[in-house]
Amino acid sequence: MAVTVKFFANFREAAGVESALVEAADVYSLLKALVAKFGERLSKLLFEGEKLRETACIIVNGKSINLSEGLRTKLKDGDVVAIFPPVSGG
């Protein structure tokens, strides 16, 4: 199933593209596929060991994976995944 991934801020810089089309069944396999495709720089931004860094926000169709099944959140054809750093404002 094809999933569109949109990169923002430092994740976009690490990937070198604004978006990518990737085949994956869940968020964890999607992130591993992205690391295989875009390399170590992206890996360091996403993971600390095998754990997702707190500085990586993952949104699937507008909903945080933290409100779903985390890294095991299932994906389906046509989903849009956004990856960005934490955002704060004032």
Coordinates of all heavy atoms in Angstrom, one line a residue:
M1 N 0.8 -1.2 0.0 CA 0.0 0.0 0.0 C 0.9 1.2 0.0 O 1.9 1.3 0.7 CB -1.0 0.0 1.2 CG -0.3 0.0 2.5 SD -1.4 -0.5 3.9 CE -1.5 -2.2 3.5
A2 N 0.5 2.2 -0.8 CA 1.3 3.4 -0.9 C 0.9 4.5 0.0 O -0.3 4.8 0.1 CB 1.2 3.9 -2.4
V3 N 1.8 5.0 0.8 CA 1.6 6.0 1.8 C 2.4 7.3 1.4 O 3.6 7.1 1.0 CB 2.0 5.5 3.2 CG1 1.9 6.6 4.2 CG2 1.2 4.3 3.6
T4 N 1.9 8.4 1.5 CA 2.6 9.7 1.2 C 3.2 10.2 2.5 O 2.5 10.3 3.5 CB 1.7 10.8 0.6 OG1 1.1 10.3 -0.6 CG2 2.4 12.1 0.3
V5 N 4.5 10.4 2.5 CA 5.2 11.0 3.7 C 5.6 12.4 3.4 O 6.2 12.7 2.4 CB 6.4 10.1 4.0 CG1 7.1 10.7 5.3 CG2 6.0 8.7 4.2
K6 N 5.2 13.3 4.3 CA 5.6 14.7 4.2 C 6.6 15.0 5.3 O 6.3 14.8 6.4 CB 4.4 15.6 4.3 CG 3.4 15.4 3.1 CD 2.3 16.4 3.2 CE 1.3 16.2 2.0 NZ 0.2 17.2 2.0
F7 N 7.7 15.6 4.9 CA 8.8 15.9 5.8 C 8.8 17.4 6.1 O 8.6 18.2 5.2 CB 10.2 15.6 5.2 CG 10.4 14.1 4.9 CD1 10.2 13.6 3.6 CD2 10.7 13.2 5.9 CE1 10.4 12.3 3.3 CE2 10.9 11.9 5.6 CZ 10.7 11.4 4.3
F8 N 9.0 17.8 7.3 CA 9.1 19.2 7.7 C 10.4 19.5 8.5 O 10.9 18.7 9.1 CB 7.9 19.6 8.5 CG 6.6 19.5 7.8 CD1 5.9 18.3 7.8 CD2 6.1 20.5 7.0 CE1 4.7 18.1 7.1 CE2 4.9 20.4 6.3 CZ 4.2 19.2 6.3
A9 N 10.8 20.8 8.3 CA 12.0 21.3 9.1 C 13.2 20.4 8.9 O 13.6 20.1 7.8 CB 11.6 21.5 10.5
N10 N 13.8 20.0 10.1 CA 15.1 19.3 10.0 C 14.9 17.9 9.4 O 15.8 17.4 8.8 CB 15.7 19.2 11.4 CG 14.8 18.6 12.4 OD1 13.6 18.7 12.3 ND2 15.4 18.1 13.5
F11 N 13.7 17.4 9.4 CA 13.5 16.1 8.8 C 13.5 16.2 7.2 O 14.0 15.3 6.5 CB 12.1 15.5 9.2 CG 12.1 15.1 10.7 CD1 11.6 16.0 11.6 CD2 12.7 14.0 11.1 CE1 11.6 15.7 13.0 CE2 12.8 13.6 12.5 CZ 12.2 14.5 13.4
R12 N 13.0 17.3 6.7 CA 13.1 17.6 5.3 C 14.5 17.8 4.9 O 14.9 17.3 3.8 CB 12.3 18.9 5.0 CG 12.3 19.2 3.5 CD 11.4 20.4 3.2 NE 10.0 20.1 3.4 CZ 9.1 21.0 3.3 NH1 9.3 22.3 3.0 NH2 7.8 20.7 3.5
E13 N 15.3 18.5 5.7 CA 16.7 18.7 5.4 C 17.4 17.3 5.3 O 18.3 17.1 4.4 CB 17.4 19.6 6.4 CG 16.9 21.0 6.3 CD 17.4 21.9 7.5 OE1 18.4 21.5 8.1 OE2 16.8 22.9 7.7
A14 N 17.2 16.5 6.3 CA 17.8 15.2 6.3 C 17.4 14.3 5.2 O 18.3 13.6 4.6 CB 17.5 14.5 7.7
A15 N 16.2 14.3 4.8 CA 15.7 13.5 3.6 C 16.1 14.1 2.3 O 16.3 13.4 1.3 CB 14.2 13.3 3.7
G16 N 16.2 15.4 2.3 CA 16.5 16.1 1.0 C 15.3 16.2 0.1 O 15.5 16.6 -1.1
V17 N 14.1 15.9 0.5 CA 12.9 16.0 -0.3 C 11.8 16.5 0.6 O 11.8 16.4 1.8 CB 12.5 14.7 -0.9 CG1 13.6 14.2 -1.9 CG2 12.3 13.6 0.1
E18 N 10.8 17.1 0.0 CA 9.6 17.5 0.7 C 8.7 16.3 1.1 O 8.0 16.3 2.1 CB 8.8 18.5 -0.1 CG 9.5 19.9 -0.1 CD 8.6 20.9 -0.8 OE1 7.3 20.8 -0.8 OE2 9.2 21.9 -1.4
S19 N 8.6 15.4 0.2 CA 7.7 14.2 0.4 C 8.2 13.0 -0.4 O 9.1 13.1 -1.2 CB 6.3 14.6 -0.1 OG 6.3 14.8 -1.5
A20 N 7.6 11.9 0.0 CA 8.0 10.6 -0.6 C 6.8 9.7 -0.6 O 6.0 9.8 0.3 CB 9.2 10.0 0.1
L21 N 6.8 8.8 -1.5 CA 5.8 7.7 -1.6 C 6.4 6.4 -1.2 O 7.5 6.0 -1.7 CB 5.2 7.6 -3.0 CG 3.9 7.0 -3.2 CD1 2.8 7.7 -2.4 CD2 3.5 6.9 -4.7
V22 N 5.9 5.8 -0.1 CA 6.5 4.6 0.4 C 5.5 3.5 0.7 O 4.3 3.8 1.0 CB 7.2 5.0 1.8 CG1 7.8 3.7 2.4 CG2 8.2 6.1 1.6
E23 N 5.9 2.3 0.5 CA 5.0 1.1 0.8 C 5.3 0.6 2.3 O 6.4 0.4 2.6 CB 5.3 -0.1 -0.1 CG 5.1 0.3 -1.6 CD 3.7 0.1 -2.1 OE1 3.0 -0.7 -1.5 OE2 3.3 0.9 -3.0
A24 N 4.2 0.6 3.1 CA 4.4 0.1 4.5 C 3.1 -0.2 5.1 O 2.1 0.4 4.8 CB 5.1 1.2 5.3
A25 N 3.1 -1.2 6.0 CA 1.9 -1.7 6.7 C 1.6 -1.0 8.0 O 0.4 -0.9 8.4 CB 1.9 -3.2 6.9
D26 N 2.7 -0.5 8.6 CA 2.5 0.3 9.9 C 3.6 1.3 10.0 O 4.5 1.4 9.2 CB 2.5 -0.7 11.1 CG 3.8 -1.4 11.3 OD1 4.8 -1.0 10.8 OD2 3.7 -2.5 11.9
V27 N 3.4 2.2 11.0 CA 4.4 3.3 11.1 C 5.8 2.9 11.3 O 6.7 3.4 10.7 CB 3.9 4.3 12.3 CG1 4.9 5.3 12.5 CG2 2.6 4.9 11.9
Y28 N 6.0 1.8 12.1 CA 7.4 1.4 12.4 C 8.0 0.9 11.1 O 9.2 1.3 10.8 CB 7.4 0.2 13.4 CG 8.8 -0.3 13.7 CD1 9.6 0.5 14.6 CD2 9.3 -1.4 13.2 CE1 10.8 0.1 14.9 CE2 10.5 -1.8 13.5 CZ 11.3 -1.1 14.4 OH 12.6 -1.5 14.7
S29 N 7.4 0.1 10.3 CA 8.0 -0.4 9.0 C 8.1 0.8 8.0 O 9.1 0.8 7.3 CB 7.1 -1.5 8.4 OG 5.8 -1.1 8.1
L30 N 7.2 1.8 8.1 CA 7.4 3.0 7.3 C 8.7 3.7 7.7 O 9.5 4.1 6.8 CB 6.2 3.9 7.5 CG 6.3 5.3 6.8 CD1 6.1 5.2 5.3 CD2 5.4 6.3 7.4
L31 N 8.9 4.0 8.9 CA 10.1 4.7 9.4 C 11.4 3.9 9.0 O 12.4 4.5 8.6 CB 10.0 5.0 10.9 CG 8.9 5.9 11.3 CD1 8.9 6.1 12.8 CD2 8.9 7.2 10.6
K32 N 11.3 2.6 9.2 CA 12.5 1.8 8.8 C 12.8 1.9 7.3 O 13.9 1.9 6.8 CB 12.3 0.3 9.2 CG 12.5 0.1 10.7 CD 13.8 0.6 11.2 CE 14.1 0.2 12.6 NZ 15.4 0.6 13.1
A33 N 11.7 1.9 6.5 CA 11.9 2.0 5.0 C 12.4 3.4 4.7 O 13.3 3.5 3.8 CB 10.5 1.8 4.3
L34 N 12.0 4.4 5.4 CA 12.5 5.8 5.1 C 14.0 5.9 5.5 O 14.8 6.5 4.8 CB 11.7 6.8 6.0 CG 10.3 7.0 5.5 CD1 9.6 7.9 6.5 CD2 10.2 7.6 4.1
V35 N 14.4 5.3 6.6 CA 15.8 5.2 7.0 C 16.6 4.5 5.9 O 17.7 5.0 5.5 CB 16.0 4.6 8.4 CG1 17.4 4.3 8.7 CG2 15.4 5.5 9.4
A36 N 16.1 3.4 5.4 CA 16.8 2.6 4.4 C 17.0 3.5 3.1 O 18.0 3.4 2.4 CB 16.1 1.3 4.1
K37 N 16.0 4.3 2.8 CA 16.0 5.1 1.6 C 16.8 6.4 1.7 O 17.5 6.7 0.8 CB 14.5 5.4 1.2 CG 14.4 6.2 -0.1 CD 12.9 6.3 -0.5 CE 12.8 7.0 -1.8 NZ 11.5 6.9 -2.4
F38 N 16.7 7.0 2.9 CA 17.3 8.3 3.1 C 18.6 8.4 4.0 O 19.3 9.4 4.0 CB 16.3 9.4 3.5 CG 15.2 9.6 2.6 CD1 13.9 9.1 2.8 CD2 15.5 10.2 1.4 CE1 12.9 9.3 1.9 CE2 14.4 10.4 0.4 CZ 13.2 10.0 0.7
G39 N 18.9 7.3 4.7 CA 20.1 7.2 5.4 C 20.2 7.6 6.8 O 19.2 7.8 7.5
E40 N 21.4 7.5 7.3 CA 21.8 7.6 8.7 C 21.4 9.0 9.3 O 20.9 9.0 10.5 CB 23.3 7.4 8.9 CG 23.7 7.4 10.3 CD 23.2 6.2 11.1 OE1 22.8 5.2 10.5 OE2 23.1 6.3 12.4
R41 N 21.4 10.0 8.6 CA 21.1 11.4 9.1 C 19.6 11.4 9.6 O 19.3 11.9 10.6 CB 21.4 12.4 8.1 CG 21.2 13.8 8.6 CD 21.7 14.9 7.7 NE 21.3 16.2 8.2 CZ 21.1 17.2 7.4 NH1 21.3 17.1 6.1 NH2 20.8 18.4 7.9
L42 N 18.7 10.8 8.7 CA 17.3 10.7 9.1 C 17.1 9.8 10.3 O 16.4 10.0 11.2 CB 16.5 10.3 7.9 CG 15.0 10.2 8.1 CD1 14.5 11.6 8.5 CD2 14.3 9.7 6.9
S43 N 17.9 8.7 10.3 CA 17.8 7.7 11.4 C 18.1 8.4 12.7 O 17.4 8.1 13.7 CB 18.7 6.6 11.1 OG 18.7 5.6 12.2
K44 N 19.1 9.2 12.8 CA 19.5 9.9 14.0 C 18.4 10.8 14.5 O 18.3 11.0 15.7 CB 20.8 10.6 13.8 CG 22.0 9.6 13.8 CD 23.3 10.3 13.6 CE 24.4 9.3 13.5 NZ 25.7 10.0 13.3
L45 N 17.7 11.4 13.6 CA 16.6 12.3 14.0 C 15.4 11.6 14.5 O 14.6 12.1 15.3 CB 16.2 13.2 12.8 CG 17.2 14.3 12.4 CD1 16.7 15.0 11.1 CD2 17.5 15.3 13.5
L46 N 15.2 10.4 13.9 CA 14.0 9.6 14.3 C 14.1 8.7 15.5 O 13.2 8.6 16.3 CB 13.6 8.7 13.1 CG 13.0 9.4 11.9 CD1 12.8 8.5 10.7 CD2 11.6 10.1 12.2
F47 N 15.3 8.0 15.6 CA 15.4 7.0 16.6 C 16.5 7.2 17.6 O 17.6 7.8 17.2 CB 15.7 5.6 15.9 CG 14.5 5.1 15.1 CD1 14.5 5.2 13.7 CD2 13.4 4.6 15.7 CE1 13.5 4.7 13.0 CE2 12.4 4.1 15.0 CZ 12.4 4.2 13.6
E48 N 16.3 6.7 18.8 CA 17.3 6.6 19.8 C 17.4 5.1 20.1 O 16.5 4.6 20.8 CB 17.0 7.4 21.0 CG 18.0 7.5 22.0 CD 17.7 8.6 23.1 OE1 16.7 9.3 23.0 OE2 18.5 8.7 24.0
G49 N 18.3 4.4 19.5 CA 18.3 2.9 19.6 C 17.1 2.5 18.7 O 17.0 2.9 17.5
E50 N 16.2 1.7 19.2 CA 15.0 1.3 18.5 C 13.8 2.1 18.9 O 12.7 1.8 18.4 CB 14.7 -0.2 18.7 CG 15.7 -1.1 18.0 CD 15.6 -1.0 16.5 OE1 14.5 -1.1 16.0 OE2 16.6 -0.8 15.9
K51 N 13.9 3.1 19.8 CA 12.8 3.9 20.3 C 12.7 5.2 19.5 O 13.7 5.8 19.2 CB 13.1 4.1 21.8 CG 11.9 4.9 22.4 CD 12.3 5.1 23.9 CE 11.2 5.9 24.5 NZ 11.6 6.7 25.7
L52 N 11.5 5.6 19.2 CA 11.3 6.9 18.6 C 11.7 8.0 19.5 O 11.3 8.0 20.7 CB 9.8 7.0 18.2 CG 9.4 8.2 17.4 CD1 10.0 8.2 16.0 CD2 7.9 8.3 17.2
R53 N 12.4 8.9 19.0 CA 12.8 10.1 19.8 C 11.6 10.9 20.1 O 10.7 11.0 19.3 CB 13.8 11.0 19.0 CG 15.2 10.3 18.9 CD 16.2 11.4 18.3 NE 17.5 10.8 18.2 CZ 18.4 10.8 19.1 NH1 18.1 11.4 20.3 NH2 19.6 10.3 19.0
E54 N 11.7 11.6 21.3 CA 10.6 12.5 21.7 C 10.5 13.7 20.8 O 9.5 14.4 20.8 CB 10.8 12.9 23.1 CG 10.5 11.7 24.1 CD 10.6 12.2 25.6 OE1 10.7 13.4 25.8 OE2 10.7 11.3 26.4
T55 N 11.6 14.0 20.1 CA 11.7 15.2 19.2 C 11.2 14.8 17.8 O 11.3 15.6 16.9 CB 13.1 15.7 19.1 OG1 14.0 14.6 18.7 CG2 13.6 16.3 20.4
A56 N 10.6 13.7 17.6 CA 10.0 13.3 16.3 C 8.5 13.2 16.5 O 8.0 12.3 17.2 CB 10.6 12.0 15.8
C57 N 7.7 14.1 15.9 CA 6.3 14.0 15.9 C 5.8 13.3 14.6 O 6.1 13.8 13.5 CB 5.7 15.4 16.0 SG 6.1 16.2 17.5
I58 N 5.0 12.3 14.8 CA 4.4 11.5 13.6 C 2.9 11.7 13.6 O 2.3 11.3 14.6 CB 4.8 10.0 13.7 CG1 6.3 9.9 14.0 CG2 4.4 9.3 12.4 CD1 7.3 10.3 12.9
I59 N 2.4 12.1 12.5 CA 0.9 12.4 12.4 C 0.5 11.5 11.2 O 1.0 11.6 10.1 CB 0.6 13.9 12.1 CG1 1.2 14.7 13.2 CG2 -0.9 14.1 12.0 CD1 0.7 14.5 14.6
V60 N -0.6 10.8 11.4 CA -1.2 10.0 10.3 C -2.6 10.6 10.0 O -3.5 10.6 10.9 CB -1.3 8.5 10.6 CG1 -2.0 7.7 9.5 CG2 0.1 7.9 10.9
N61 N -2.8 11.1 8.9 CA -4.1 11.7 8.5 C -4.6 12.7 9.5 O -5.8 12.7 9.9 CB -5.1 10.6 8.2 CG -4.8 9.7 7.1 OD1 -4.1 10.1 6.2 ND2 -5.1 8.4 7.2
G62 N -3.7 13.5 10.0 CA -4.0 14.6 11.0 C -4.1 14.1 12.4 O -4.5 14.9 13.3
K63 N -3.8 12.9 12.7 CA -3.9 12.4 14.1 C -2.6 11.8 14.6 O -2.0 11.0 13.9 CB -5.0 11.2 14.2 CG -5.2 10.7 15.5 CD -6.3 9.6 15.5 CE -6.5 8.9 16.8 NZ -7.5 7.8 16.8
S64 N -2.2 12.3 15.8 CA -0.9 11.8 16.3 C -0.9 10.3 16.6 O -1.9 9.8 17.0 CB -0.6 12.5 17.6 OG 0.5 11.9 18.3
I65 N 0.2 9.6 16.3 CA 0.3 8.2 16.5 C 0.2 7.9 18.0 O -0.1 6.8 18.4 CB 1.5 7.5 15.9 CG1 2.8 8.1 16.5 CG2 1.5 7.7 14.4 CD1 4.1 7.3 16.1
N66 N 0.5 8.9 18.8 CA 0.4 8.8 20.3 C -1.0 8.6 20.8 O -1.3 8.1 21.8 CB 1.1 9.9 21.0 CG 2.5 10.1 20.7 OD1 3.2 9.0 20.5 ND2 3.1 11.3 20.7
L67 N -2.0 9.0 19.9 CA -3.4 8.8 20.3 C -3.9 7.5 19.6 O -5.1 7.2 19.8 CB -4.2 10.0 19.8 CG -3.8 11.4 20.3 CD1 -4.5 12.5 19.7 CD2 -4.0 11.4 21.8
S68 N -3.1 6.8 19.0 CA -3.5 5.5 18.4 C -2.6 4.4 18.9 O -2.6 4.3 20.1 CB -3.3 5.7 16.8 OG -3.9 4.6 16.2
E69 N -2.0 3.6 18.1 CA -1.2 2.5 18.5 C 0.3 2.8 18.5 O 1.1 1.8 18.4 CB -1.5 1.3 17.7 CG -3.0 0.8 17.8 CD -3.2 -0.4 16.9 OE1 -2.5 -1.4 17.0 OE2 -4.2 -0.3 16.1
G70 N 0.7 4.0 18.5 CA 2.1 4.4 18.5 C 2.8 3.9 17.2 O 2.2 4.0 16.1
L71 N 4.0 3.3 17.3 CA 4.7 2.8 16.1 C 4.0 1.7 15.4 O 4.3 1.4 14.3 CB 6.1 2.4 16.5 CG 7.1 3.5 16.9 CD1 8.4 2.9 17.4 CD2 7.3 4.5 15.8
R72 N 3.1 1.0 16.1 CA 2.3 -0.1 15.5 C 1.0 0.4 14.8 O 0.2 -0.4 14.4 CB 2.0 -1.2 16.5 CG 3.3 -1.8 17.1 CD 3.9 -2.6 16.0 NE 5.3 -3.0 16.5 CZ 6.3 -3.3 15.6 NH1 6.1 -3.1 14.4 NH2 7.4 -3.6 16.1
T73 N 0.8 1.7 14.7 CA -0.3 2.3 14.0 C -0.4 1.7 12.6 O 0.6 1.9 11.9 CB -0.3 3.8 14.0 OG1 -0.3 4.3 15.4 CG2 -1.5 4.4 13.3
K74 N -1.5 1.1 12.2 CA -1.6 0.5 10.9 C -1.8 1.6 9.9 O -2.4 2.7 10.1 CB -2.9 -0.4 10.9 CG -2.8 -1.5 11.9 CD -1.7 -2.5 11.5 CE -1.8 -3.7 12.4 NZ -0.5 -4.0 13.1
L75 N -1.3 1.4 8.7 CA -1.4 2.3 7.6 C -2.2 1.6 6.4 O -2.2 0.4 6.3 CB -0.1 2.7 7.0 CG 0.9 3.4 8.1 CD1 2.3 3.6 7.5 CD2 0.3 4.8 8.4
K76 N -2.9 2.5 5.7 CA -3.6 1.9 4.5 C -3.3 2.8 3.3 O -2.8 3.9 3.4 CB -5.1 1.9 4.8 CG -5.8 3.2 5.1 CD -7.2 3.0 5.5 CE -7.9 4.3 5.7 NZ -7.3 5.2 6.6
D77 N -3.6 2.2 2.1 CA -3.3 2.9 0.9 C -3.9 4.3 0.9 O -5.1 4.5 1.2 CB -3.9 2.1 -0.3 CG -3.4 2.5 -1.6 OD1 -2.1 2.7 -1.7 OD2 -4.2 2.6 -2.6
G78 N -3.1 5.3 0.5 CA -3.6 6.7 0.4 C -3.4 7.5 1.7 O -3.6 8.7 1.7
D79 N -2.9 6.9 2.8 CA -2.7 7.6 4.0 C -1.6 8.7 3.8 O -0.7 8.5 2.9 CB -2.3 6.7 5.2 CG -3.4 6.0 5.8 OD1 -4.6 6.3 5.5 OD2 -3.1 5.1 6.6
V80 N -1.7 9.8 4.6 CA -0.7 10.8 4.5 C -0.1 10.9 5.9 O -0.8 11.0 6.9 CB -1.3 12.2 4.2 CG1 -0.2 13.3 4.2 CG2 -1.9 12.1 2.8
V81 N 1.3 10.7 6.0 CA 2.0 10.8 7.2 C 2.9 12.0 7.2 O 3.6 12.2 6.2 CB 2.9 9.5 7.4 CG1 3.7 9.6 8.6 CG2 2.0 8.2 7.3
A82 N 2.8 12.8 8.3 CA 3.6 14.0 8.4 C 4.7 13.7 9.5 O 4.3 13.2 10.6 CB 2.8 15.2 8.7
I83 N 5.9 14.1 9.3 CA 7.0 14.0 10.2 C 7.6 15.3 10.5 O 8.1 16.0 9.5 CB 8.1 13.0 9.8 CG1 7.4 11.6 9.4 CG2 9.2 12.8 10.8 CD1 8.4 10.6 8.8
F84 N 7.6 15.8 11.7 CA 8.1 17.1 12.1 C 8.6 17.2 13.5 O 8.2 16.3 14.3 CB 7.1 18.2 11.8 CG 5.8 18.0 12.5 CD1 5.5 18.6 13.7 CD2 4.7 17.2 11.9 CE1 4.3 18.4 14.3 CE2 3.5 17.1 12.5 CZ 3.3 17.7 13.8
P85 N 9.4 18.2 13.8 CA 9.8 18.4 15.2 C 8.7 19.0 16.1 O 7.7 19.5 15.5 CB 11.0 19.3 15.1 CG 10.7 20.1 13.9 CD 10.0 19.2 12.9
P86 N 8.9 18.9 17.4 CA 7.8 19.5 18.3 C 7.7 21.0 17.9 O 8.7 21.7 17.5 CB 8.4 19.4 19.7 CG 9.4 18.3 19.5 CD 9.9 18.3 18.1
V87 N 6.5 21.5 18.0 CA 6.2 22.9 17.7 C 5.7 23.5 19.0 O 4.9 23.0 19.7 CB 5.1 23.0 16.6 CG1 4.8 24.4 16.3 CG2 5.6 22.3 15.4
S88 N 6.1 24.7 19.2 CA 5.6 25.5 20.4 C 5.4 26.9 19.9 O 6.0 27.4 18.9 CB 6.6 25.5 21.6 OG 7.8 26.1 21.2
G89 N 4.6 27.6 20.6 CA 4.3 29.0 20.2 C 4.0 29.8 21.4 O 3.9 29.4 22.5
G90 N 3.8 31.1 21.1 CA 3.5 32.0 22.2 C 2.6 33.0 21.8 O 2.0 33.2 20.8

